[in-house]
Amino acid sequence: MKPSPITQPPEDAARRKAITPVICYPVETLPRPDLAAYRALRDNLTLVDRVTVPPRDAACWTVPSGHFCRILCRDGAQVGDLNLFNADNLNERLYTGKTRALNGTHVGFGDQLFSNFPYLRPIATITHDTLDWYGFDAFGGSVHDVIGTRCDPYTHNLLSHGGQYHHCCHSNLTRAFAEKTGKPLAEAETYIHDVLNVFMCTGFTRDTGQYFMKASPVRPGDYLEFFAEIDLLGCMSACPGGDCSAEHSSDTAACYPLEVEIYKAADLPSGWIAPSVNGYDRTHGV
């Protein structure tokens, strides 16, 4: 949040501010998935696994390449903080910054989730979203953001003048990832990364540019579905803020479990080829 300006505006201030913006990453040449081929498989899916993410806690699961994963609101409005990893190489993981740059601040049907450098490739494709009707509201809010980092005990400590809270999403993800991988807690924490905030309704205030949240529009039966482009390890926290209508890092907000379902399709999408790691030669001009 910027303070009140102390510099006198120049004479051409209005003209400078009126310059038309330019999209940083034109995506017309970005390879796009054949969504019709993905969706043609959805009428013949077999449920192969189901995982419950407890409220104010986290859980991990695997999604084999070519399978579908659904994140469901089961009992009440609840948001989830999602990390994704290459199940065969945990150093490759969801990169929300580049996903945001290529898709926008919030993701939905047809968007792809990209991994970090040096891999930079789509690792999941969103194939269905029952909240796609929401769009952007009058406040600039929308659902499924890739702008928030995850609630964490370090920021909580700063804002509460020393408070210790152990069920922030960052800690929840750390515990679940450590249990799943067998890594020591301190090492596991280094793998936890910025999240896809599933079902969370967020945006930026227009006057101060501050990150805001508001009550999620999700209701029991809603779900977000994606297709695994590679073998994935998912790790998700059911946020202690519940529907994030008031606060997060809370022991008082109403919280509910989230359900994860893994489906195997009868076939692979027509013409589908698993994405290769990024083709940059990594010489960096040397």
Side-chain angles (χ1 to χ4, degrees):
M1 183 172 63
K2 293 185 177 180
S4 298
I6 59 174
T7 305
Q8 185 68 22
E11 291 183 359
D12 63 345
R15 181 176 61 82
R16 294 193 205 180
K17 294 173 73 171
I19 294 173
T20 303
V22 176
I23 298 298
C24 293
Y25 292 97
V27 294
E28 289 76 16
T29 59
L30 183 69
R32 291 294 190 182
D34 181 357
L35 295 175
Y38 288 65
R39 290 184 60 81
L41 306 176
R42 297 182 69 253
D43 291 332
N44 191 15
L45 298 176
T46 301
L47 179 67
V48 295
D49 196 13
R50 178 181 284 121
V51 174
T52 298
V53 182
R56 293 189 179 85
D57 210 340
C60 292
W61 66 91
T62 55
V63 191
S65 172
H67 286 53
F68 290 82
C69 177
R70 290 180 185 171
I71 299 172
L72 298 97
C73 175
R74 194 181 77 178
D75 299 328
Q78 174 68 44
V79 307
D81 287 45
L82 177 66
N83 269 189
L84 290 175
F85 302 84
N86 179 342
D88 302 312
N89 174 14
L90 297 176
N91 291 316
E92 183 178 9
R93 61 198 76 164
L94 174 64
Y95 183 9
T96 58
K98 194 58 67 177
T99 297
R100 178 174 65 248
L102 294 173
N103 292 294
T105 56
H106 300 74
V107 295
F109 172 59
D111 287 330
Q112 293 192 297
L113 309 179
F114 290 84
S115 61
N116 58 315
F117 300 153
Y119 314 98
L120 193 62
R121 58 173 168 170
I123 57 175
T125 299
I126 298 176
T127 49
H128 200 77
D129 174 18
T130 64
L131 292 176
D132 64 354
W133 56 267
Y134 193 89
F136 283 88
D137 60 33
F139 303 97
S142 191
V143 292
H144 312 312
D145 83 68
V146 280
I147 49 180
T149 56
R150 66 203 173 275
C151 59
D152 69 272
Y154 303 100
T155 305
H156 177 83
N157 182 271
L158 285 175
L159 298 178
S160 64
H161 304 289
Q164 303 292 321
Y165 186 75
H166 308 299
H167 294 277
C168 295
C169 288
H170 177 83
S171 296
N172 296 345
L173 293 167
T174 298
R175 291 194 309 274
F177 185 77
E179 181 179 355
K180 179 70 173 180
T181 62
K183 295 182 181 297
L185 197 67
E187 181 185 354
E189 183 180 18
T190 65
Y191 285 83
I192 303 307
H193 49 278
D194 287 352
V195 298
L196 165 54
N197 280 310
V198 180
F199 304 141
M200 193 171 181
C201 189
T202 60
F204 292 105
T205 59
R206 292 193 172 98
D207 53 349
T208 62
Q210 289 175 283
Y211 182 52
F212 72 74
M213 62 185 186
K214 55 181 292 190
S216 172
V218 71
R219 296 294 182 267
D222 282 323
Y223 64 92
L224 181 71
E225 175 191 279
F226 62 83
F227 176 87
E229 300 285 350
I230 64 172
D231 292 339
L232 292 173
L233 170 64
C235 189
M236 186 169 67
S237 167
C239 184
D243 69 354
C244 289
S245 58
E247 59 179 338
H248 49 52
S249 304
S250 166
D251 281 329
T252 59
C255 291
Y256 302 93
L258 291 168
E259 201 84 357
V260 178
E261 295 179 343
I262 312 302
Y263 290 89
K264 182 178 181 179
D267 203 349
L268 292 171
S270 176
W272 176 80
I273 299 175
S276 300
V277 297
N278 196 270
Y280 177 60
D281 65 14
R282 303 187 68 189
T283 58
H284 304 289
V286 176

